[in-house]
Amino acid sequence: AARTYVLKRMEYNKDKDYDVVDSTINQVYLDNEYLKKAWGKKYLQNINKLRKAVNATLGEYLTYNEKIIDALFFSTSNGYTEDSALVFGFDADYLKSVSSYWDKDTSSAYLTTTKIPLKKFYEKLELPYSDNLKLEILERSQTNRINKLKINDHPFTGRELYNKLGLRSTDFTMNLVNENVVIKTKGYGHGVGMSQYGALGMAKEGYKYREILSYYYQNTVIKKI
């Protein structure tokens, strides 16, 4: 999936001076010096595990209708992945919503509670300050993620709140408690493509990597460079 993601970015960025950006904008890259410090005594064990995975799948990438797919992935689902059209505005048959019930047992990020002081909350959303908080959910997707809402009668998309407030998911509840806005989110990330902790749950149940990939990226075919 990571290899396919990069190949697609190389295609997108063929007229630019770079292929991928090494942050969450594209795909995070951590060099060996960083990993040695972060992993300490587990460095050799972990790096060898990664190398084994790379070598075992050498040159393999995912296609749909003979073309490289946009192999999007994220940390943790809310129980379902989301359609790409609802999040990124493009439709792909291989990026449709599927059930991902494993996440709640494998990911510590499945449920998260965040507190934001009311004043800071309004500043982040560029709204006038008010002692009250009126939340109105206008539309949810079939996977319970919020598409449209109003805060104090000002319209937003769920994605706007996700970005402006730094939320972990667009599946959230919001309450005012003692001058703090308490936000509870379910899942972590944009929700499109493969859930990494869902994939972990499938692997623990005995599914092989090809089965996991074909589950999250439906009707795709693995090819080799």
Side-chain angles (χ1 to χ4, degrees), residues 8 10 25 27 31 34-35 48-49 53 68 72 92 106 118 120 124 137 145 149 152 157 163-165 171-172 184 207:
K8 195 68 174 176
M10 289 168 74
I25 292 169
Q27 198 153 251
D31 65 26
Y34 178 94
L35 294 177
N48 285 335
K49 189 176 182 181
I68 298 168
L72 299 173
T106 55
L118 189 59
K120 193 173 181 182
K124 282 175 177 278
I137 307 298
R145 293 175 174 88
L149 70 157
N152 295 354
T157 65
N163 290 324
K164 287 176 182 286
L165 300 177
D171 182 354
F172 58 83
K184 294 183 179 181
Y207 288 94

Side-chain angles (χ1 to χ4, degrees), residues 29-211:
Y29 177 83
L30 307 173
D31 65 26
N32 271 315
E33 293 310 308
Y34 178 94
L35 294 177
K36 281 175 183 175
K37 287 177 186 174
W39 285 338
K41 291 178 181 177
K42 285 195 169 181
Y43 170 77
L44 274 179
Q45 177 188 333
N46 289 351
I47 202 73
N48 285 335
K49 189 176 182 181
L50 291 181
R51 285 173 178 157
K52 185 178 176 184
V54 170
N55 292 331
T57 64
L58 200 63
E60 291 183 356
Y61 65 101
L62 290 151
T63 66
Y64 180 82
N65 285 347
E66 302 294 320
K67 293 180 180 178
I68 298 168
I69 73 163
D70 209 339
L72 299 173
F73 49 86
F74 63 99
S75 169
T76 306
S77 83
N78 67 343
Y80 295 89
T81 67
E82 189 60 278
D83 283 8
S84 60
L86 287 173
V87 180
F88 295 117
F90 73 92
D91 200 20
D93 287 341
Y94 56 85
L95 292 176
K96 297 294 185 187
S97 175
V98 296
S99 169
S100 187
Y101 62 84
W102 303 273
D103 305 54
K104 69 179 185 296
D105 296 321
T106 55
S107 177
S108 60
Y110 182 71
L111 291 173
T112 308
T113 301
T114 307
K115 277 186 185 179
I116 304 175
L118 189 59
K119 186 182 176 187
K120 193 173 181 182
F121 174 82
Y122 285 128
E123 284 173 1
K124 282 175 177 278
L125 295 182
E126 299 174 45
L127 291 177
Y129 180 83
S130 169
D131 289 332
N132 299 313
L133 175 64
K134 181 186 172 188
L135 171 68
E136 189 181 352
I137 307 298
L138 302 176
E139 182 185 301
R140 286 184 184 268
S141 72
Q142 289 186 329
T143 66
N144 208 45
R145 293 175 174 88
I146 295 173
N147 291 334
K148 295 176 183 176
L149 70 157
K150 281 185 178 180
I151 292 175
N152 295 354
D153 295 321
H154 291 268
F156 291 93
T157 65
R159 190 78 182 157
E160 283 174 324
L161 257 70
Y162 174 86
N163 290 324
K164 287 176 182 286
L165 300 177
L167 302 181
R168 287 191 160 188
S169 165
T170 54
D171 182 354
F172 58 83
T173 61
M174 194 180 288
N175 292 290
L176 183 58
V177 181
N178 301 327
E179 294 187 4
N180 288 306
V181 181
V182 178
I183 304 169
K184 294 183 179 181
T185 54
K186 188 181 284 188
Y188 190 5
H190 52 67
V192 178
M194 182 176 68
S195 163
Q196 291 170 284
Y197 278 97
L200 175 63
M202 290 185 74
K204 284 184 172 182
E205 285 188 9
Y207 288 94
K208 304 301 181 187
Y209 79 95
R210 287 174 177 267
E211 294 172 311

